[in-house]
Amino acid sequence: MKFTDGYWLLREGVTAAYPAEVLDVTESDGALEIHAPTRPVRSRGDLLKGPVLTLRAHTPMPDVIGLTLTHFTGGESRGPEFELTGSGATPRISYDDEHATLTSGELSVRVARGGPWHVEFLAHGRTLTTSGDKSMGIMRDPTGAHHLREQLVLQVGTSVYGLGERFGPLVKNGQVVDIWQADGGTCSEQAYKNVPFYLTDAGYGVFVDHPGKVSFEVASEVVSRVQFSAETQELTYYVVYGPTPKEILRKYTALTGRPALPPAWSFGLWLSTSFTTSYDEKTVTSFIEGMRERELPLSVFHFDCFWMREFHWCDFRWDARVFPDPEGMLARLKDRGLRVSVWINPYIAQRSPLFAEGKALGHLLKRPDGSVWQWDLWQPGMALVDFTSPAARDWYAAKLEALLAQGVDCFKTDFGERVPLDVTWSDGSDPERMHNYYTYLYNRTVFEVLRKHRGEAEAVLFARSATAGSQQFPVHWGGDCEATYESMAESLRGGLSLGLSGFGFWSHDIGGFEGTPAPALFKRWLAFGLLSSHSRLHGSSSYRVPWLFDEESVEVARHFIRLKLRLMPYLYETARTAHTEGVPMMRAMVLEFPDDPGCAHLERQYMLGPDLLVAPVFSDEGDVTYYIPEGTWTHFLTGEQVTGPRWVRERHAFLSVPLLVRPGAVIPVGAVDDRPDYDHADGVTLRAYGLRPGDETTVRVGDVTFTVVREGDTLRATCSDPAAPWALATAGHETRAPAGTGSLTLGPEPS
């Protein structure tokens, strides 16, 4: 939200009060409390005038410092609040004549005790960002609404990333971003996944701890500052010190929660019935048989909306006209080695039998007059489940438990964005704060059902909406994109932006959701989709089975499905890193190469894990331009090499895509290419790329650890399991280790 009219003026009807100086500083419970009048105190008469802003500096964990800005304290906190899980920290507090300083780990916040108002964040003696004159403020807009605002300086050359899954430019500088859940597709400034956290390439990130609407002006209203504001009397934000982008994400996700580790089977291909298509068990079986006959490995079959009867969403009952024997059908699908996903949402249509039941039990969201909130958008007369009520959560969970008992394995948790404000929540939550937070309660409820009945290792969702902390309940997909190259590119931007917001796992609709892709687009999107964290064939009004496009699409699908399954030893260890450290599987280039200025704005390529560079092709002809960082990189599919830093132009056939291996990497490649959930260490091949003399690399595959060392012209590998069969390979060489061998030597490696 903008408050100013250029440099000198406020917008018409806006009033502002800014901290002018420090009146006093006190210390309590390991925190600093600063009282800041909004006008200079020249005489005792100035002490009779307000407002006064209170600033509290505190720390939840090392290298993270929070500032809480408060105007009036008389209100009641109605919630909800983000659930933070900081590890705790004991700050160091110091004073001198000029400053009061709180330090946590390597990060300090320093407040000027005399002279003009000035707050500074520092690490290792270097200023990260500051809040100075007319930055922090109490703002009233033309309607009289009360906002708290902060502006943090962006040093020259600093780029800003994150703020959730946003489909515009990856670098947010110059953008206006409102943290407000909306169902706007992938082609607008609206977002399904809004996260009030931004990351910079200057050593720090900022998390605004407010679940309601937060308005960000990112180098827009003031081009040298990031501004954020919210309509509230108290606002907390945390500065997270890295110094690297990866370290920032590690610490941010330690504060807000790390992703669960999805089961290995979820990394295989998901095939959907699609949205408005006509289907029954015969149709489903024809798809599955068609995949089998064409040797296209399939891991999950997904039933979209119409597994339930029209106008009954959700009643969690199979449409008996189409699926008269759901238990038998699910058993038959299981016999084929498939997992089953079904579509759900948190809305209850008026024709659903659960509407009357939920109303009678008080589980549906109400208006202030006590009536059930309803509207006709999406489903006629639909209501929302009130997930702030523990009883409503248990009621909803019980409906899902019945499906799990039938044989369903997981759920696509669609929607959760359009949450009204003219309502009264069961626990008294503030409707404005609950609008974004609703998705957290919804997806947590479903994830906990799966964790309870399927176990920690088997729980996985396919979720659309999210907010801060929702990364704990993977996987998330990119929502409703169009069948165009432009939409394919915007989907990638959204996924990379979400990864820079703390989310480890992300997917998208291969071929686009709206419309039917041309065969060439479908084949290009197959390569991209199968080199993503999770891979799903799904559309709106048309099926996505490859043979409906052309026979070459079948060949392309087979090629990239099997490639992904062979890469599972590498991919699943990358997934473990996302789970344990909060570093995403699909990584914007700046995350791996923060010191390479050529990577700062790259948004048409990414790193899949630490060592594989992927540059999707966005044209029928196959022309692609991508950037190679320093070193000699190797094309994984062909063995050709290219040395950077440089831009590369290539033309790729449909069975190819730029997939390059980082110099010095060892990629474990599996022995199985027809399923993702196999023993990844059994028969694995370690492919070594560009190790220099003296280099040593450790590779984990499941419970087995390999160490690869280059000694002169010899590569030597050792394995923690002497009984494990494995192989070592490099350019022009491959040596297989017989079972029981703990080490092997490879002959001279080509230079």
Side-chain angles (χ1 to χ4, degrees), residues 466-628:
T467 187
S470 297
Q471 66 268 13
Q472 298 170 83
F473 319 122
V475 170
H476 295 84
W477 102 94
D480 297 347
C481 50
E482 296 178 330
T484 65
Y485 284 113
E486 292 79 9
S487 199
M488 179 177 159
E490 70 201 20
S491 294
L492 175 56
R493 293 194 297 268
L496 296 181
S497 182
L498 190 67
L500 291 168
S501 306
F503 286 69
F505 307 98
W506 176 80
S507 186
H508 46 98
D509 294 340
I510 294 174
F513 176 74
E514 294 288 354
T516 299
L521 170 62
F522 182 67
K523 284 175 277 198
R524 297 300 184 193
W525 209 318
L526 276 169
F528 167 40
L530 286 158
L531 289 170
S532 298
S533 155
H534 286 73
S535 308
R536 182 176 73 153
L537 294 170
H538 178 69
S540 177
S541 57
S542 56
Y543 303 125
R544 289 291 181 268
V545 287
W547 55 90
L548 294 182
F549 295 90
D550 58 23
E551 282 306 308
E552 189 178 31
S553 294
V554 174
E555 187 180 1
V556 171
R558 183 187 305 116
H559 176 72
F560 284 104
I561 295 169
R562 292 185 180 274
L563 171 64
K564 183 175 187 181
L565 299 180
R566 290 198 307 275
L567 285 172
M568 276 302 297
Y570 170 80
L571 295 175
Y572 205 60
E573 296 313 312
T574 300
R576 289 186 200 274
T577 300
H579 166 59
T580 59
E581 300 181 22
V583 179
M585 290 190 68
M586 299 175 67
R587 306 174 183 179
M589 296 295 291
V590 70
L591 197 57
E592 283 294 332
F593 303 96
D595 297 325
D596 185 342
C599 292
H601 289 256
L602 297 180
E603 59 186 23
R604 296 195 305 273
Q605 62 186 79
Y606 58 96
M607 296 297 293
L608 182 58
D611 295 320
L612 291 178
L613 186 157
V614 183
V617 178
F618 297 100
S619 72
D620 290 357
E621 298 77 16
D623 294 320
V624 58
T625 302
Y626 59 95
Y627 176 79
I628 289 290

Side-chain angles (χ1 to χ4, degrees), residues 307-308 312-317 343-349 352-355 379 396:
W307 70 273
M308 291 178 284
H312 285 237
W313 305 340
C314 285
D315 63 2
F316 307 108
R317 296 178 181 178
W343 175 97
I344 62 172
N345 68 34
Y347 310 145
I348 308 294
S352 167
L354 299 189
F355 184 92
Q379 287 287 284
Y396 191 86

Side-chain angles (χ1 to χ4, degrees), residues 604-684:
R604 296 195 305 273
Q605 62 186 79
Y606 58 96
M607 296 297 293
L608 182 58
D611 295 320
L612 291 178
L613 186 157
V614 183
V617 178
F618 297 100
S619 72
D620 290 357
E621 298 77 16
D623 294 320
V624 58
T625 302
Y626 59 95
Y627 176 79
I628 289 290
E630 185 176 1
T632 298
W633 295 64
T634 306
H635 281 270
F636 184 86
L637 298 175
T638 67
E640 296 177 10
Q641 294 185 329
V642 58
T643 299
R646 58 173 288 208
W647 283 91
V648 178
R649 291 185 179 181
E650 294 174 346
R651 173 166 287 195
H652 285 257
F654 290 117
L655 287 171
S656 181
V657 68
L659 175 64
L660 291 96
V661 186
R662 191 174 188 166
V666 176
I667 306 295
V669 179
V672 175
D673 66 357
D674 62 355
R675 60 183 304 117
D677 47 344
Y678 57 94
D679 182 349
H680 297 155
D682 186 8
V684 69

Side-chain angles (χ1 to χ4, degrees), residues 429-467:
S429 285
D430 182 337
E432 188 265 349
R433 295 171 70 93
M434 184 54 69
H435 174 85
N436 291 339
Y437 196 75
Y438 182 81
T439 179
Y440 179 86
L441 297 179
Y442 163 41
N443 281 286
R444 185 184 69 180
T445 299
V446 180
F447 197 84
E448 288 178 347
V449 170
L450 290 164
R451 189 154 45 193
K452 175 182 176 182
H453 292 277
R454 290 289 184 262
E456 185 76 34
E458 291 290 300
V460 65
L461 303 176
F462 223 87
R464 188 173 78 173
S465 57
T467 187

